[in-house]
């Protein structure tokens, strides 16, 4: 077996095993270190005969034993009696050949996304522990240096250990707060992956991981509309990925994308999640957002008119439950198509500029509307503002072309 | 685990001698809250006005005595509770109920030595 194939075995097993160890020992470092130790042992043990039939179970047993050894070693180093006691108790529960690995990933997600953990560390910690991404991969996805990200993870883990963050899934009374921290973490993490339209950058694998995390979350919390809605949103958005960039690497706006290039299987899956979400809580913001994606993904061919009226109606509904600048900005795009450019520009002019000055879509949308209103000089300035903020090459190419077309 | 709850408020709303109606009302709330906590509360008290504070600063090993608190800020440390809670979530639930003015903060600090 090649090193890459083994890496894949390790990665696929890691989330579940680290979660099981963490909730067993209530110690994230111990869980990570003992899993790493088990992988190192596996490399040696499997080098001749290849991995055993149930490689994950082997890794779990080995990591579990290694965790107990580590607890013992801590005792001899620090003469820490409680650790020895714990090791002895845990030893009695040692998994054997037939013990299934308990699925504790939900618990671990709630630990990683606890509101007491720094917001900028939550997504990274979840990707590291629950998805098994390496520090290097996460650092690249978040555009940070590896040492900076590693520091952030260390601080977050220390906080969890020292503040006494619970390893229990919170009760329903705490859910509005706790589940929202989990879901917004996923949204932030997915936003990073989605920005990279070409999918060629470091975010590529990471988008696949987001499909997995949202699947797990929706499976573990089947009665929550929000988890189903977010699973639907990620799938609808990922389904369109192949059509988001043209042959020259330039971004293709949603209304110009060829639906034939969208991934049908992901759209089907997404619709399933959306139906569940609608049956549970049809008017929650995330469910309405998923509905907007669904309306786009219902388009069959480029010859069909884009569903602008339906999109506008959905944004009107969304506005009644979530009224903020981003929703109003997105609504303005549909408004321009249904009621004309002037109505949309008036809508945008009413937004608080200060909060949006560094928000690329604000300038890009505004530039496009000004261009269509034949207000060329203002449009040019808006394109300049957008180009000053753009980070991906696909969008840069598109904005540059739009700006160049103004002077023709 | 044992946690320290440190209460920060703008003390001006209570008046310098802590005898304003607002101060009396808050005091009554703290008495009721303490009773509700029962054995979870290990210790706790309000603190006198920050103008009563004396700070000993040490710089390069040399001690100097100053009038006033260590950190000047709009909110001041005005009281504390020492509580016993199984984990952070339990401590958060308890801290959320600490009687507080419209604006303020409660800091939750785990004790170094596990109780």
């Amino acid at each position: 077996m090649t090193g890459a194939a083994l890496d894949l075995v390790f990665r696929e097993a890691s989330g579940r095993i680290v979660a099981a160890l963490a909730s067993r020992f209530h110690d994230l470092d111990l869980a990570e270190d003992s899993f790493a130790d088990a992988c190192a042992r596996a490399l040696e043990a499997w080098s001749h005969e290849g991995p055993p039939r149930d490689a994950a179970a082997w890794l779990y047993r080995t990591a579990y034993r290694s965790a107990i050894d580590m607890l013992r070693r801590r005792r001899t180093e620090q003469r820490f009696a409680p650790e020895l006691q714990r090791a002895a108790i845990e030893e009695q529960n040692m998994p054997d050949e037939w013990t299934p690995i308990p699925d504790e990933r939900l618990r671990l997600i709630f630990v990683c996304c606890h509101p007491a953990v720094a917001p900028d560390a939550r997504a990274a910690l979840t990707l590291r522990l629950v998805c098994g991404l390496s520090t290097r991969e996460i650092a690249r996805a978040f555009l940070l240096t590896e040492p900076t990200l590693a520091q952030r993870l260390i601080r977050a883990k220390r906080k969890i250990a020292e503040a006494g963050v619970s390893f229990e899934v919170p009760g329903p009374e705490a859910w509005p707060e706790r589940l929202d921290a989990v879901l917004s973490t996923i949204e932030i993490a997915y936003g990073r992956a989605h920005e990279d339209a070409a999918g060629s950058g470091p975010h590529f694998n990471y988008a696949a991981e987001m499909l997995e995390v949202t699947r797990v979350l929706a499976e573990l919390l089947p009665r929550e509309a929000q988890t189903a809605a977010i699973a639907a949103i990620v799938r609808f958005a990922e389904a369109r990925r192949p059509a988001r960039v043209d042959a020259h690497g330039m971004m293709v706006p949603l209304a110009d994308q060829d639906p034939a290039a969208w991934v049908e299987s992901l759209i089907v899956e997404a619709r399933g999640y959306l139906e569940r979400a609608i049956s549970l809580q049809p008017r929650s913001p995330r469910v309405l957002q998923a509905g907007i994606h669904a309306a786009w993904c219902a388009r069959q061919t480029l010859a069909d008119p884009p569903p602008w009226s339906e999109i506008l109606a959905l944004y009107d509904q969304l506005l009644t439950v979530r009224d903020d600048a981003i929703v109003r900005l997105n609504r303005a795009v549909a408004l321009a198509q249904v009621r004309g450019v002037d109505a949309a520009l008036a809508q945008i002019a009413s937004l608080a500029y200060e909060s949006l000055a560094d928000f690329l879509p604000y300038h890009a949308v505004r530039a496009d509307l000004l261009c269509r209103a034949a207000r060329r000089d203002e449009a040019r300035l808006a394109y300049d503002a957008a180009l000053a903020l753009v980070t991906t090459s696909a969008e840069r190419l598109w904005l540059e072309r739009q700006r160049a077309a103004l002077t023709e | 685990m044992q946690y320290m709850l440190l209460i920060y408020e703008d003390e001006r709303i209570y008046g310098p001698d802590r005898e304003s109606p607002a101060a009396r009302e808050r005091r009554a709330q703290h008495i009721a809250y303490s009773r509700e906590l029962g054995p979870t509360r290990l210790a706790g008290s309000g603190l006198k006005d920050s103008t009563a504070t004396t700070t000993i600063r040490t710089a390069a090993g040399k001690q100097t005595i100053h009038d006033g608190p260590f950190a000047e800020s709009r909110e001041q440390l005005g009281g504390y509770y020492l509580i016993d809670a199984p984990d952070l979530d339990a401590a958060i639930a308890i801290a959320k109920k600490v009687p507080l003015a419209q604006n303020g903060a409660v800091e939750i600090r785990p004790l170094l030595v596990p109780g």
Side-chain angles (χ1 to χ4, degrees):
Chain A
M1 206 170 199
T2 64
L6 277 178
D7 276 347
L8 196 66
V9 171
F10 294 156
R11 174 176 291 192
E12 277 176 358
S14 88
R16 216 171 148 126
I17 293 178
V18 170
L21 294 169
S23 55
R24 184 80 233 169
F25 295 97
H26 291 194
D27 186 329
L28 296 177
D29 280 326
L30 186 70
E32 252 192 311
D33 293 348
S34 56
F35 179 69
D37 185 54
C39 291
R41 282 167 201 260
L43 277 178
E44 206 169 301
W46 301 351
S47 61
H48 299 298
E49 290 122 71
R53 212 163 38 131
D54 195 348
W58 189 98
L59 286 168
Y60 180 51
R61 282 198 307 276
T62 309
Y64 197 104
R65 261 184 224 117
S66 161
I68 290 170
D69 288 345
M70 286 177 189
L71 283 177
R72 288 231 172 76
R73 231 171 300 143
R74 275 190 205 167
R75 193 256 332 185
T76 43
E77 278 164 16
Q78 309 174 353
R79 304 197 166 281
F80 212 12
E83 298 280 1
L84 180 67
Q85 233 174 27
R86 262 175 68 202
I89 294 167
E90 298 299 345
E91 194 157 22
Q92 290 168 4
N93 298 310
M94 189 105 84
D96 59 31
E97 209 75 48
W98 298 277
T99 319
I101 308 171
D103 194 348
E104 304 286 11
R105 283 176 294 178
L106 183 63
R107 253 193 232 228
L108 190 55
I109 291 174
F110 272 103
V111 171
C112 294
C113 299
H114 196 285
V117 175
D120 63 3
R122 288 178 205 158
L125 200 58
T126 307
L127 290 167
R128 175 80 200 98
L129 297 177
V130 184
C131 303
L133 265 65
S134 70
T135 318
R136 178 194 286 176
E137 286 170 309
I138 303 166
R140 278 167 64 196
F142 284 85
L143 307 174
L144 294 169
T145 65
E146 216 178 318
T148 307
L149 181 89
Q151 263 310 314
R152 213 174 265 186
L153 291 176
I154 289 169
R155 261 203 304 273
K157 282 191 281 184
R158 191 176 296 153
K159 171 72 190 281
I160 288 167
E162 295 193 342
V165 168
S166 158
F167 279 74
E168 299 305 316
V169 172
E173 73 288 346
W175 273 33
E177 192 176 29
R178 297 292 304 277
L179 188 61
D180 205 62
V182 171
L183 296 174
S184 43
T185 300
I186 289 175
E187 277 166 348
I188 292 164
Y190 182 67
R192 301 276 183 156
H194 193 67
E195 273 169 18
D196 177 22
S200 53
H203 307 273
F204 182 61
N205 280 328
Y206 176 70
E209 295 296 344
M210 297 323 294
L211 287 172
E212 173 67 6
V213 175
T214 53
R215 189 188 65 74
V216 170
L217 207 58
E219 185 186 300
L220 297 172
L221 300 171
R223 304 297 306 158
E224 272 297 324
Q226 311 279 336
T227 60
I230 215 161
I233 289 172
V234 170
R235 276 155 187 76
F236 281 130
E238 280 304 296
R240 297 193 300 261
R241 186 181 287 277
R244 288 177 63 202
V245 172
D246 71 8
H248 309 288
M250 187 171 71
M251 180 190 100
V252 182
L254 190 44
D256 300 338
Q257 289 176 16
D258 183 1
W262 293 343
V263 184
E264 183 62 25
S265 58
L266 279 175
I267 295 177
V268 170
E269 253 183 74
R271 282 203 198 105
Y273 283 118
L274 177 60
E275 274 167 32
R276 192 209 289 177
I278 289 175
S279 73
L280 292 166
Q281 218 183 334
R283 292 188 52 78
S284 93
R286 286 192 180 93
V287 178
L288 288 168
Q289 277 168 323
I292 291 167
H293 282 277
W296 276 111
C297 288
R299 202 177 179 202
Q300 294 296 319
T301 71
L302 264 179
D304 297 343
W308 288 116
S309 313
E310 193 186 348
I311 300 287
L312 181 61
L314 284 162
Y315 271 116
D316 285 339
Q317 280 189 54
L318 181 56
L319 210 54
T320 63
V321 285
R322 191 189 135 188
D323 187 353
D324 62 28
I326 294 171
V327 173
R328 284 185 176 269
L329 184 67
N330 286 322
R331 181 176 169 275
V333 177
L335 195 66
Q337 298 291 341
V338 179
R339 295 213 201 110
V341 172
D342 292 336
L345 278 169
Q347 175 67 240
I348 285 190
S350 71
L351 300 175
Y353 174 75
E354 303 82 61
S355 63
L356 294 165
D358 293 330
F359 190 56
L360 167 63
Y362 169 77
H363 297 288
V365 166
R366 202 166 155 268
D368 182 54
L369 293 173
L370 288 167
C371 170
R372 279 195 271 161
R375 287 158 65 176
R376 290 171 164 238
D377 292 337
E378 290 166 272
R380 203 167 291 125
L381 289 173
Y383 277 120
D384 288 342
L387 280 162
L389 294 167
V390 77
T391 54
T392 66
S393 68
E395 200 167 358
R396 174 181 300 281
L397 287 172
W398 187 75
L399 289 167
E400 280 170 354
R401 197 195 66 172
Q402 296 298 106
R403 192 189 182 284
L406 273 177
T407 46
E408 277 164 18
Chain B
M1 283 180 73
Q2 291 185 9
Y3 293 89
M4 195 78 164
L5 309 183
L6 302 165
I7 304 164
Y8 294 87
E9 286 173 294
D10 183 349
E11 62 190 4
R12 285 173 304 183
I13 60 174
Y14 299 125
D17 54 359
R18 298 283 190 274
E19 286 305 329
S20 68
R24 279 185 207 169
E25 189 195 335
R26 191 77 64 245
R27 198 148 50 234
Q29 288 170 343
H30 276 289
I31 290 167
Y33 173 73
S34 296
R35 197 171 298 138
E36 197 187 310
L37 284 182
T40 299
R41 174 187 178 279
L42 303 174
S45 177
L47 301 175
K48 285 189 178 172
D49 199 86
S50 71
T51 53
T53 311
T54 308
T55 302
I56 304 169
R57 285 173 184 269
T58 303
K62 190 175 173 296
Q63 294 183 326
T64 47
I65 296 172
H66 297 265
D67 172 41
F70 171 57
E72 297 282 358
S73 59
R74 206 159 53 81
E75 277 100 13
Q76 301 79 28
L77 180 63
Y80 73 95
Y81 284 99
L82 181 63
I83 60 161
D84 190 20
D87 57 39
L88 181 62
D89 286 342
I92 288 173
I94 292 164
K96 273 184 172 171
K97 291 188 193 147
V98 167
L100 206 63
Q102 280 291 315
N103 300 298
V106 178
E107 214 173 83
I108 305 171
R109 293 281 290 267
L111 261 64
L112 196 54
V113 181

